[in-house]
Amino acid sequence: MNKKSKTKKRKKLRLKAKYRNMLQLLCLLLIIILVFLIIIPKDNFKIVSYEKVSTIPLSTIDNSLFTYEENGIINYPNAQLGIDISMHQSDVDFSLLKQQGIDFVFIRLGYRGYQTGKLNLDEKFEEYYKQAKEYDLDIGIYFFSQAINEKEAIEEANFVLKNIKGKEINLPIVYDLEKIDYDENYRTKDLSVEQKTLNALSFCGRIAYKKYQPMIYLNLDIANTFYDLEQIYNYPIWYAQYDSLPTYQYKYDYWQFTDSMHLAGIKEEVDLNLRFN
């Protein structure tokens, strides 16, 4: 074989090797895409559509029916008494809570860092869930959001769904966005009303799509400055007002009436709530 023929053959071999490598790379890419589609369900980032309510429903709570105990507990006919807790409450004795008439608990599942944006599981979530279940309390979940767009809000919802898999959650899963009074540069500070509303709806829509009941936490300031109420009132409301009587004009399903209750079984102060039937 002459030199010219050898050179031509080497070029053909190199070209075949090049095409073979490209084919292998393409096959590898297709395998990666296939694995991605199998591992991550198609609907993981599905944004559920929503509509505005025609009329925001008014509250039907009769303030004349509230009664008060000396220890600060407020009662209402047929309403249940409950707490909401996070790792800030440290160790909790659920047997003592049950003895004091606590019927339900909202447990913080986790939070997004208000500066870092990192998703975090509350370090007491699993412990609190197991004990609340052991003492037959109704259990709800809340997530402290710092989502800056719809994608992050859905990511938060997916984080919740992943961590409640296999658990019995018979009360709502709550979207909790609040002001950070002790930091002037928290990541959701400058979000518009439109964006905050879209985030709440994205989180709640994702939760509802997975057949759980979503709910939105707010106080009077949040209601007036965070959300388009005509849009969020497709979902139940958890209303916070630390007073002897609630003054919010619109419908709410839970009332958080104090953030400084002292109960046997919890060393730290705790929030107390009424669940209206």
Side-chain angles (χ1 to χ4, degrees):
M1 185 181 292
N2 59 34
K3 186 176 180 180
K4 187 175 181 181
S5 297
K6 288 181 178 179
T7 302
K8 189 175 181 180
K9 185 176 181 180
R10 282 196 296 268
K11 285 184 178 180
K12 286 183 178 180
L13 290 172
R14 284 198 297 267
L15 190 60
K16 285 182 178 179
K18 182 179 179 180
Y19 284 135
R20 184 170 61 251
N21 291 338
M22 289 178 63
L23 183 61
Q24 289 174 344
L25 183 62
L26 181 60
C27 289
L28 180 61
L29 182 60
L30 289 173
I31 291 171
I32 292 173
I33 293 172
L34 182 60
V35 170
F36 182 83
L37 292 174
I38 292 172
I39 293 175
I40 301 181
K42 296 177 184 178
D43 66 349
N44 254 16
F45 291 95
K46 180 180 178 67
I47 296 178
V48 179
S49 61
Y50 54 87
E51 296 179 358
K52 290 188 176 184
V53 295
S54 56
T55 304
I56 303 174
L58 296 175
S59 170
T60 58
I61 300 299
D62 184 348
N63 282 2
S64 68
L65 298 180
F66 286 107
T67 58
Y68 306 88
E69 300 179 23
E70 291 183 2
N71 60 4
I73 291 177
I74 301 176
N75 297 300
Y76 190 85
N78 300 316
Q80 293 178 306
L81 188 66
I83 60 171
D84 57 276
I85 53 176
S86 70
M87 62 185 183
H88 301 296
Q89 270 69 49
S90 190
D91 296 331
V92 174
D93 187 329
F94 282 81
S95 64
L96 290 177
L97 294 177
K98 187 77 173 180
Q99 293 173 27
Q100 294 168 90
I102 299 300
D103 295 308
F104 68 88
V105 57
F106 279 99
I107 305 170
R108 186 177 74 167
L109 180 140
Y111 59 97
R112 187 187 288 274
Y114 61 83
Q115 289 182 332
T116 66
K118 179 183 176 183
L119 295 178
N120 301 276
L121 185 69
D122 190 298
E123 63 185 46
K124 285 285 189 177
F125 169 66
E126 293 288 349
E127 177 186 329
Y128 287 160
Y129 173 81
K130 289 177 182 176
Q131 292 188 53
K133 189 70 180 166
E134 179 182 351
Y135 288 97
D136 200 30
L137 296 179
D138 287 336
I139 300 172
I141 296 298
Y142 74 97
F143 186 87
F144 187 84
S145 174
Q146 280 289 291
I148 59 174
N149 52 44
E150 298 100 306
K151 183 178 179 181
E152 285 195 352
I154 294 173
E155 182 184 28
E156 292 174 352
N158 287 336
F159 183 82
V160 170
L161 292 165
K162 174 184 175 182
N163 283 285
I164 63 172
K165 189 174 182 179
K167 294 179 170 62
E168 288 188 45
I169 308 298
N170 56 356
L171 295 183
I173 296 174
V174 183
Y175 182 78
D176 177 16
L177 176 66
E178 302 179 38
K179 292 180 178 178
I180 309 295
D181 294 329
Y182 45 84
D183 190 314
E184 295 183 355
N185 299 309
Y186 62 98
R187 67 199 313 263
T188 59
K189 178 181 179 182
D190 297 322
L191 292 186
S192 65
V193 169
E194 179 184 15
Q195 188 62 62
K196 289 174 182 174
T197 301
L198 286 172
N199 293 350
L201 293 172
S202 297
F203 179 97
C204 291
R206 177 67 183 158
I207 295 298
Y209 182 73
K210 287 299 184 178
K211 311 302 182 186
Y212 292 95
Q213 175 63 67
M215 185 163 67
I216 297 174
Y217 177 88
L218 54 76
N219 56 29
L220 188 59
D221 180 51
I222 292 173
N224 289 335
T225 63
F226 274 33
Y227 297 128
D228 178 350
L229 296 183
E230 290 182 345
Q231 296 188 62
I232 70 166
Y233 258 89
N234 279 298
Y235 299 110
I237 297 297
W238 181 7
Y239 176 64
Q241 181 179 347
Y242 307 141
D243 209 338
S244 58
L245 289 172
T247 58
Y248 189 54
Q249 63 176 317
Y250 298 122
K251 185 179 183 297
Y252 49 95
D253 298 85
Y254 293 78
W255 175 33
Q256 186 183 81
F257 60 84
T258 181
D259 64 347
S260 56
M261 178 59 62
H262 291 278
L263 294 175
I266 304 180
K267 292 181 180 179
E268 307 296 331
E269 294 179 334
V270 67
D271 303 339
L272 215 54
N273 305 268
L274 286 174
R275 174 192 182 190
F276 300 102
N277 297 313

